[in-house]
Amino acid sequence: MATILAPPPEGSDLRPVRGQPGIPLVGNTLQVMRDPFATARKRYEQFGPVSWGWLLGQRIVTAQGPEAAEAVLVNRDKAFANGPAWSYFIGPFFYRGIMLLDFEEHLHHRRIMQQAFTRTRLQAYMDAMAPGIKDGIGAWEPGAGFKVYDHVKQLTLDLATDVFMGVELDRAEADRINGAFIDAVRAGTAYVRFPVPGLRWHKGVRARATLEEFFRRHLPAKREQSGDDLFAALCQAETDDGHRFTDDDVVNHMIFALMAAHDTTTITLTTMAYQLARHPEWQERLRAESRALGKPVLEFADLDALPSADLVMKESLRMVAPVPALPRRVVKDTSLLGFHIPAGTTVILPMLTNHHMPEWWPDPERFDPERFAPDRREDKAHKYAWAPFGGGAHKCIGLHFAGMQVKSILHQVLLRYRWSVPGGYEWPLDTTSLPSPKDGLPVRLERLEHH
């Protein structure tokens, strides 16, 4: 039965938000996690773009579609805050990361952090990554049952520790730090949201302590040296008026940036690998493009010379948004698309399902990279129809780094290997946390003779 979230103020022409609370305590959590696409569609047809339900222990308004996304992300009257919304999910583990700051403080930190993502810095990161990519993918064992997700995750974690930290780690220490990152990320969608030993939340709290200790131990040396890694860049970063990060700031931003960098890139590359395995004509098209460059390692100047890779990357980001939902907390009574949203409400923008709305995307379940081609540009139907990196003041600061890393890895993989899946294979996508294949995406991997 539909109920309203809160009555609008007297005399207001705003509409109340309608929805269904679902079953006590659990609410709509299970449906949303198990089948977000069908759940979002049903809600949209029943209640329109703005509705409410119970999710992970709180009342949540879901705002679907690009118009709602624009209103919330552009945030003209500063009613929607990032920090308190994200903190509920990942606050204890990614405390004061750039995504958890708001308004003036967020802009202040972002200005300093931008120094770590200049063109010169990006070029240095790209050069630093190349040998790690070569060694990482060179060690892959061809054959049937090669799990793409597991191998790509290992590679992006190793690159993150290498290129971002600039600290030499032995395998055991790298695995310990990587394991802490994985535990911190998984803790965000824990059902039990207090530290019961052995459960996700408790592991996340322990992981945070491990990561803090690691970065604090290496921080003094990083303050002393200038390097081509992110850790050194954040230690040295300074705005024109002389503002720098404190030690606490550097530790908080490093922990957040490492999580943000490896997880989202892994999901994007895995989705691309899945689609290229199912559509070998696209895999050959991308391979031909990479071969035409005539170089084993992608260079910074080559990033725009792979137009087909761009199309496939954009379509893969549409089909599986690596960050499936963007939460905001309403800090003062406001309106959204004519609906009354009271202060204290959590609003979620479901980017994963927004990208599958037939109102904006013709035949949304079909893999069709050409929809991003210059003569079609279906993403131009609305400024926020395609928004895998968010938007507004909080648009992902690392989006250029992400594109560069994806192309650098893909280029080397295409030149060395061909991969395939059996006809009719469809991956079982797990959407309980960040989207990933339950089976790790097993493919038949073949080494190419001439690479």
Side-chain angles (χ1 to χ4, degrees):
M1 195 178 76
T3 56
I4 67 166
L5 177 70
E10 263 186 63
S12 157
D13 58 357
L14 294 175
R15 289 174 288 166
V17 176
R18 295 163 63 240
Q20 282 175 326
I23 54 179
L25 296 177
V26 177
N28 316 102
T29 304
L30 295 176
Q31 299 111 285
V32 169
M33 286 186 158
R34 282 179 187 156
D35 193 347
F37 302 102
T39 308
R41 193 72 228 153
K42 190 176 165 192
R43 264 171 175 262
Y44 189 82
E45 285 164 2
Q46 196 172 358
F47 301 115
V50 182
S51 62
W52 80 276
W54 278 97
L55 192 66
L56 285 171
Q58 54 176 340
R59 288 198 307 178
I60 284 184
V61 167
T62 304
Q64 298 190 57
E67 277 130 342
E70 180 172 29
V72 172
L73 296 174
V74 174
N75 198 12
R76 286 199 176 84
D77 64 350
K78 292 188 164 54
F80 300 99
N82 257 42
W86 277 111
S87 293
Y88 178 81
F89 297 103
I90 60 171
F93 324 111
F94 298 103
Y95 176 71
R96 290 183 64 74
I98 189 79
M99 196 167 74
L100 281 75
L101 303 178
D102 281 296
F103 310 125
E104 290 308 312
E105 185 180 40
H106 168 254
L107 282 175
H108 172 69
H109 278 248
R110 196 175 170 104
R111 271 191 209 106
I112 304 174
M113 205 169 194
Q114 208 78 58
Q115 309 308 308
F117 289 98
T118 59
R119 190 180 172 84
T120 311
R121 283 281 184 191
L122 287 174
Q123 199 158 354
Y125 300 149
M126 190 166 170
D127 293 344
M129 266 192 291
I133 296 171
K134 181 171 183 278
D135 293 346
I137 69 168
W140 289 357
E141 293 287 335
F146 175 89
K147 295 200 171 178
V148 173
Y149 179 81
D150 304 10
H151 284 83
V152 169
K153 189 169 184 69
Q154 187 65 61
L155 177 63
T156 59
L157 271 167
D158 288 345
L159 291 175
T161 46
D162 196 22
V163 177
F164 276 22
M165 297 189 202
V167 176
E168 285 293 319
L169 303 178
D170 62 38
R171 187 72 256 173
E173 178 74 342
D175 287 343
R176 187 177 77 92
I177 297 305
N178 291 351
F181 273 109
I182 291 164
D183 284 346
V185 171
R186 283 176 61 81
T189 52
Y191 284 118
V192 180
R193 307 186 74 75
F194 45 89
V196 177
L199 295 187
R200 277 189 186 190
W201 195 265
H202 182 251
K203 287 180 181 172
V205 172
R206 280 183 25 202
R208 170 74 196 199
T210 299
L211 295 170
E212 279 196 24
E213 185 279 325
F214 173 84
F215 285 115
R216 288 191 192 284
R217 179 159 33 99
H218 289 285
L219 207 143
K222 286 288 170 188
R223 287 280 194 207
E224 296 302 313
Q225 66 193 60
S226 60
D228 286 334
D229 54 275
L230 182 72
F231 199 177
L234 291 180
C235 285
Q236 312 302 326
E238 192 172 323
T239 56
D240 293 343
D241 47 5
H243 287 290
R244 297 182 72 169
F245 283 138
T246 65
D247 286 2
D248 284 350
D249 291 336
V250 172
V251 170
N252 292 334
H253 289 316
M254 277 303 296
I255 291 174
F256 180 80
L258 270 156
M259 177 275 290
H262 87 259
D263 252 329
T264 51
T265 306
T266 298
I267 294 162
T268 305
L269 276 163
T270 304
T271 307
M272 292 173 79
Y274 170 59
Q275 297 297 353
L276 293 173
R278 293 179 82 207
H279 302 274
E281 71 283 4
W282 274 97
Q283 189 179 145
E284 293 309 323
R285 180 167 159 179
L286 265 62
R287 185 171 290 111
E289 217 169 61
S290 278
R291 281 179 172 158
L293 281 178
K295 46 181 89 165
V297 171
L298 201 64
E299 293 170 14
F300 196 75
D302 303 321
L303 286 169
D304 293 333
L306 300 170
S308 299
D310 263 322
L311 297 179
V312 170
M313 181 165 68
K314 285 176 177 168
E315 177 68 334
S316 297
L317 285 166
R318 181 192 71 80
M319 296 195 85
V320 181
V323 180
L326 301 175
R328 298 289 188 268
R329 180 70 56 81
V330 177
V331 291
K332 60 186 178 186
D333 284 7
T334 189
S335 65
L336 177 59
L337 304 188
F339 290 91
H340 168 61
I341 315 286
T345 306
T346 296
V347 173
I348 277 187
L349 303 172
M351 307 320 280
L352 183 70
T353 56
N354 272 7
H355 290 165
H356 288 255
M357 295 178 77
E359 290 80 359
W360 301 94
W361 299 98
D363 200 0
E365 302 315 311
R366 190 160 77 93
F367 175 71
D368 180 11
E370 295 283 3
R371 63 173 92 235
F372 290 92
D375 59 331
R376 280 174 64 188
R377 291 307 301 268
E378 288 177 12
D379 56 311
K380 291 292 186 194
H382 188 285
K383 194 178 173 189
Y384 283 82
W386 183 81
F389 298 102
H394 279 275
K395 191 167 187 176
C396 173
I397 198 168
L399 70 96
H400 297 298
F401 178 87
M404 178 180 89
Q405 187 176 33
V406 165
K407 285 185 182 175
S408 297
I409 293 171
L410 189 66
H411 175 72
Q412 292 202 37
V413 173
L414 285 163
L415 294 179
R416 280 171 174 251
Y417 301 103
R418 179 177 283 113
W419 62 100
S420 56
V421 290
Y425 166 81
E426 285 191 29
W427 68 358
L429 191 65
D430 181 354
T431 49
T432 56
S433 180
L434 296 181
S436 61
K438 287 178 193 170
D439 59 1
L441 181 55
V443 301
R444 172 173 287 284
L445 190 73
E446 301 167 57
R447 185 173 274 120
L448 298 169
E449 292 309 311
H450 311 288
H451 64 263

